Amino acid sequence: MQRLSTRNAGFAADFAALLDQARETTETVGPQVAAIIDDVRKRGDAAVCDYTSRFDRVSMTADRLAVTPAEIAAAKAAIAPDLMAALDLAATRIEAFHRAQMPADLVMTDAAGYRLGMRWSALDAVGLYVPGGKAAYPSSVLMNAIPAKVAGVDRIAICVPAPDGVLNPLVLAAADRAGVTEIYRVGGAQAVAALAYGTATIPAVDRIVGPGNAYVAEAKRQVFGRVGIDGIAGPSEVVVVADAANDPAHVAMDLLAQAEHDESAQSILITDDAAFADAVAAAVTEALKTLPRAAIAQASWDRHGAILLVADWSEAASLVNRLAPEHLQVMLAGPQHFFAQVRHAGAAFLGRFVPEAVGDYVAGPNHVLPTGRTARFASGLSVFDFIKRTTWVEGDAAALAAVGPAAVRLAETEGLTAHAQSIAMRLQD
Amino acid sequence: MQRLSTRNAGFAADFAALLDQARETTETVGPQVAAIIDDVRKRGDAAVCDYTSRFDRVSMTADRLAVTPAEIAAAKAAIAPDLMAALDLAATRIEAFHRAQMPADLVMTDAAGYRLGMRWSALDAVGLYVPGGKAAYPSSVLMNAIPAKVAGVDRIAICVPAPDGVLNPLVLAAADRAGVTEIYRVGGAQAVAALAYGTATIPAVDRIVGPGNAYVAEAKRQVFGRVGIDGIAGPSEVVVVADAANDPAHVAMDLLAQAEHDESAQSILITDDAAFADAVAAAVTEALKTLPRAAIAQASWDRHGAILLVADWSEAASLVNRLAPEHLQVMLAGPQHFFAQVRHAGAAFLGRFVPEAVGDYVAGPNHVLPTGRTARFASGLSVFDFIKRTTWVEGDAAALAAVGPAAVRLAETEGLTAHAQSIAMRLQD
């Protein structure tokens, strides 16, 4: 963990270095991924099964790619009722928030007599990539699938690898609760290729979302254009803005909740009080003694953690905007006042009783968020990922008479005679 | 041009072939583009100037990259007043439509006592790529820049190549009218690299939009993640749905307005009347005799044009949804009835007096639209390309008590102890 203070002469350079710090090594997997995609396009299910057998240490056949209703029912039956209730509470709250996101269509009539509009419609089919193994989180299944369901998508297909044939029952239960229509036990670039191009068993979708390893990310990049994709997910981060009125133990645990995800995760505290900073740092050290995932959290905190000491909160807001963090906790009195100065953040958690972990599970907003400073231009997953717009114009001869001559003039200037003619010949009628 | 009828036995296969027809050869320019980006990252302005000098046949220096206010003033002074008026009418109408697109923020309070919200905010800086040479269209400058301006973006930078040092004065005038803050005379992969990574003269932006050649498209693909990008633009297309009550000459000119863009463009007529189809085909042949860009339009029509004969309009709607065209003209009585059955199209033009060319210039909706069937998942350019969302949650101890235990249960199940602890320790207070 490094400590920086805006009062120090070297702050600007040190903060710039913190911003530029690469937290992941980029693997060059382009050629291998291109070969897998090409093979899946040519051989379909056979290629998908070959790669799955090899990478997941199973003996996969096409008839076993899809998870069956009986398997889902069995998975659900094995889950404790209180856990199912927790999953249902989360799903219900996520649904309510995402339903509120749905935008209205636009219809307007203008002075020239044109009726103009913008109509939203759902995608027909989407594919959700769910990482397997240690990162197979049922909460992420809810967060990916529910917005698609709320948006009105007909086909919601999940691809999730089952290393050694093992699937997390709660992942199946979450998919079922969220309204997923198909689940395939296949991962990696072969899953992305199947979703993009389709096989006999896995029909093609229109858009693929969800995080994955370097092979999945590269495969998404390569199929982009054929289908839509979401952003390339990087390691997670949190910025906690906190004054000395907070319990240092709370802040320390919030920082460690981020750090325990991944050694590449980043937790940053911004505070105006040096003694409070000391107390939080000490509390982190204490808490690390108790956590099962202490080794991961410790590595993250040592390598990427930071405490930034600021002179005032307006300085803090300016640092937040440069960091553009995935998660922002504002643990100040009147947090909305601070939040009003924030332009770039994926999701914000306002108040002393809103740890980011609440947002990971049950608050309602999505936990799939832009990482690595991409909140400068990107947004969290939402219903907007699963709908698209068609604009329209309706008008009669009088409307054309009002605006047509200007269009003819511009088309002629651009040398597009047929464009100009298509308007001019109607003006003469 | 090929003619297909849904009454023919081979229709399904022929239509599938039409859908799969590749209209562009894909150049493999990845390694060259990677080298250019790498060089611009290392050498900044010097690399940008070297590539510009070489590719645009000029002698570029860093101090001449930016177009000056004096150059813009001179360009505007040279433009005919009626042309400036046409440009202004277009800009005013595009502004009005895009202003109406701006979404409202979401704020809600739920039963647990949480206040939840979603706040839209503008990107800080965007880069617009404007193709040079024959495809330097002032209308496209308006269509790209005005949504960014309406969205509230502070820095709007244009990169436009100036082959042999020549810039289109109307492009400069359009940029000025639209509120562009910077114009750089640089194109190709070097422009994209400069916008993504920044140089001494060209500060980095957060998102890059706009069409370009294979090098520009590949460069955008490679910088994706560092900055946001829009879709990869392909050749343009129109589908005209028309009954026999239309003037065949009008329909023919609408088809040719698309075809004159590019030999790879595609124009498709869908009609229920074989005699009308004949009349349109004949009118296309006639009109081609009169057009300056006849060679291009003829090539496009010959290679990619199609007339699809359908039994009824519901069949037509189903074909439109499979084509997911960039542009859709509905030249039927009561066009909204047909449009209600359309799920996938970039932009629709409804009625006999709304040729697509009206939308290219003055209707108001954007003319930068998803091509090559990507309207299945993508949308036209809009204010949504220049804003992003931050979700937020605000709550107190009582709200946490209502939902916290479920989150603790889920976090423990996922093995994320610090997540669970960050909530549980606050529940005990």
Side-chain angles (χ1 to χ4, degrees), chain B residues 175-323:
Chain B
D176 187 61
R177 172 63 180 81
V180 166
T181 55
E182 304 146 41
I183 306 174
Y184 304 103
R185 60 188 116 228
V186 47
Q190 59 274 22
V192 175
L195 289 170
Y197 289 96
T199 71
T201 303
I202 306 175
V205 301
D206 299 308
R207 189 158 200 262
I208 302 172
V209 305
N213 63 18
Y215 291 83
V216 171
E218 175 61 24
K220 284 167 65 181
R221 196 186 285 267
Q222 291 190 16
V223 301
F224 172 52
R226 168 80 186 193
V227 296
I229 63 167
D230 60 348
I232 305 295
S236 200
E237 72 259 349
V238 70
V239 170
V240 179
V241 178
D243 60 21
N246 288 286
D247 183 334
H250 290 182
V251 173
M253 198 59 81
D254 296 347
L255 296 169
L256 289 171
Q258 199 61 40
E260 76 174 341
H261 271 298
D262 186 337
E263 295 180 1
S264 302
Q266 182 167 53
S267 304
I268 296 177
L269 167 66
I270 302 182
T271 185
D272 66 342
D273 187 302
F276 181 72
D278 292 340
V280 171
V284 165
T285 304
E286 274 311 298
L288 277 169
K289 295 176 186 163
T290 70
L291 294 177
R293 294 171 69 89
I296 294 168
Q298 177 90 58
S300 157
W301 182 242
D302 288 351
R303 291 180 202 166
H304 306 298
I307 297 181
L308 310 180
L309 196 64
V310 293
D312 57 49
W313 300 119
S314 129
E315 208 170 63
S318 141
L319 297 184
V320 166
N321 283 325
R322 290 184 64 195
L323 288 161

Side-chain angles (χ1 to χ4, degrees), chain B residues 6 109 139 144 200 217 235 261 282 314 341 402:
Chain B
T6 57
T109 302
S139 58
N144 277 278
H261 271 298
S314 129
Q341 301 172 67

